[in-house]
Amino acid sequence: MRQDTLGKLAVGHAELLSKISELYDAICLLDLELDSLFQIKYPVSTVQPLLEREIPLSVSLPAVVHAIVCPADQSSVLSFLRPERIRTAFSGIDDRQECEFLSQRDHWKRIVLLPLDYEDGVVRRVLYTHSDHTFSHRQYQSIVRESARLRQLSEHDKLTYLFNRTKLAEMLETEYRELSSCGVLFFDINSLKEVNDTLGHDAGDAMLCQFAESIRSITNHDVHAYRYGGDEFIVIVCNAQPPQLDQLLEMWRDRLNHLIRQSGIPCSAAVGRSFSRAPFVLDDLIRQADEVMYQNKRMMKNAAKA
């Protein structure tokens, strides 16, 4: 059964059209069967506020798109406005189709298509509008940027800017569940309390930042560094192989020694490691690496006393 909401558009009601036209940059009636585009309002260089003329849709559409839409968005807009696509794009008379594009003048525009009749899954006539929503788009982008900034703050340690335990908990529930193997390196900085007590917390913070930089240098897409506690750091190596852990530790020691030579801030750390292929429980691997780290710390203390 055919549904028809508007029948023939009453373009003679200039007052009504003037009020409606204030909301839109363009208002057109697309007749897909007759291949016509009836312009109710469209941006023009003349002072005439309303255009009431009919032109061929297939001829005018590419020219209008190239004149109005920025080059990067022209292909997607042309595809969106293809009559063949529009005919069967709607699920009912109350459905709508939307598309956004950047104009030649760097304004964000939104196209809305509304079916004027709908029968057996096919539409023949469509109301086309596009309007400027640059302001709301910029507001949205600002919100997105602020949201990303707050997310960054929530998942990074404020001092070292490594990932924090909040981010680790998230990764434990998501990405780390899919690993085929995993390695953990557990670090504990030596003598941080003594530095804080004798030289002050600024000196301790400088040591922490230096150490964080040393393990940041070995990170990549599959190697993630976290500040686990006050002087504890862990590195998660995704889909690791045992020799890779040795290579990463060697790279870390080289980088730390280089930073010490540059800054003159002495720094050392006890290290523990663990490794497993799937299936594994990452919390258990972290505990194993922690235990090995404490064994290493005791050995370092005993060696210092000898």
Side-chain angles (χ1 to χ4, degrees), residues 9 48 58 80 85 111 119 131 142 147 155 174 250 285 289:
L9 198 63
Q48 184 180 357
S58 57
F80 176 76
R85 189 202 72 83
I111 296 172
E119 185 177 6
S131 54
S142 177
S147 176
E155 62 188 23
T174 55
E250 183 178 353
L285 287 181

Side-chain angles (χ1 to χ4, degrees), residues 2 4 7 29-31 114-117 123-127:
R2 178 179 172 183
D4 196 329
L29 178 63
L30 310 183
D31 193 315
L114 299 170
L116 297 183
D117 56 56
V123 295
R124 290 191 296 273
R125 291 183 304 148
V126 176
L127 185 67

Side-chain angles (χ1 to χ4, degrees), residues 10-18 50 52:
V11 295
H13 299 301
E15 183 179 353
L16 174 62
L17 288 176
S18 295
L50 296 176
E52 297 181 6

Side-chain angles (χ1 to χ4, degrees), residues 250-292:
E250 183 178 353
M251 292 168 57
W252 161 71
R253 290 190 182 98
D254 288 345
R255 179 59 176 166
L256 180 60
N257 289 332
H258 175 73
L259 293 171
I260 291 170
R261 289 193 297 270
Q262 278 191 325
S263 68
I265 302 173
C267 183
S268 66
V271 186
R273 75 176 82 181
S274 61
F275 170 82
S276 179
R277 301 188 189 281
F280 57 82
V281 178
L282 188 48
D283 281 331
D284 292 342
L285 287 181
I286 293 173
R287 279 192 290 270
Q288 292 170 22
D290 187 19
E291 292 171 2
V292 176

Side-chain angles (χ1 to χ4, degrees), residues 3 5 90-97 113-118:
Q3 301 179 59
T5 56
F90 298 92
S91 61
I93 193 66
D94 296 322
D95 196 7
R96 61 191 282 152
Q97 296 277 311
L113 300 179
L114 299 170
L116 297 183
D117 56 56
Y118 182 87

Side-chain angles (χ1 to χ4, degrees), residues 11-209:
V11 295
H13 299 301
E15 183 179 353
L16 174 62
L17 288 176
S18 295
K19 291 184 179 298
I20 293 175
S21 68
E22 292 174 4
L23 303 175
Y24 302 102
D25 293 340
I27 307 172
C28 301
L29 178 63
L30 310 183
D31 193 315
L32 306 178
E33 284 193 341
L34 299 179
D35 186 34
S36 68
L37 184 155
F38 187 84
Q39 299 183 14
I40 301 168
K41 177 193 177 183
Y42 217 83
V44 288
S45 58
T46 66
V47 295
Q48 184 180 357
L50 296 176
L51 290 176
E52 297 181 6
R53 63 193 183 99
E54 190 169 346
I55 54 179
L57 174 60
S58 57
V59 174
S60 61
L61 187 58
V64 169
V65 168
H66 283 87
I68 301 296
V69 182
C70 78
D73 289 345
Q74 288 176 5
S75 177
S76 61
V77 172
L78 281 169
S79 177
F80 176 76
L81 293 175
R82 280 190 307 110
E84 298 80 15
R85 189 202 72 83
I86 296 173
R87 282 191 182 93
T88 56
F90 298 92
S91 61
I93 193 66
D94 296 322
D95 196 7
R96 61 191 282 152
Q97 296 277 311
E98 295 187 7
C99 174
E100 293 186 358
F101 68 89
L102 188 65
S103 76
Q104 295 278 11
R105 297 185 178 183
D106 293 328
H107 279 229
W108 284 98
K109 308 286 185 178
R110 177 183 289 128
I111 296 172
V112 177
L113 300 179
L114 299 170
L116 297 183
D117 56 56
Y118 182 87
E119 185 177 6
D120 298 328
V122 177
V123 295
R124 290 191 296 273
R125 291 183 304 148
V126 176
L127 185 67
Y128 165 105
T129 67
H130 80 238
S131 54
D132 193 307
H133 68 116
T134 302
F135 178 73
S136 60
H137 181 86
R138 287 174 178 167
Q139 281 188 315
Y140 172 75
Q141 292 298 319
S142 177
I143 292 171
V144 169
R145 286 193 296 270
E146 180 64 11
S147 176
R149 187 185 72 85
L150 293 175
R151 179 178 175 82
Q152 285 284 95
L153 290 175
S154 72
E155 62 188 23
H156 286 79
D157 175 61
K158 291 182 180 179
L159 176 64
T160 65
Y161 211 64
L162 295 178
F163 287 134
N164 58 23
R165 293 184 74 153
T166 300
K167 178 65 172 179
L168 177 61
E170 176 191 325
M171 296 292 277
L172 285 170
E173 295 299 321
T174 55
E175 186 172 329
Y176 293 159
R177 288 182 176 271
E178 308 297 325
L179 301 180
S180 61
S181 64
C182 184
V184 177
L185 302 175
F186 201 115
F187 301 85
D188 187 286
I189 299 177
N190 296 321
S191 305
L192 179 63
K193 184 178 185 304
E194 289 82 351
V195 170
N196 282 330
D197 291 344
T198 58
L199 300 177
H201 285 278
D202 286 346
D205 288 350
M207 178 184 284
L208 283 167
C209 290

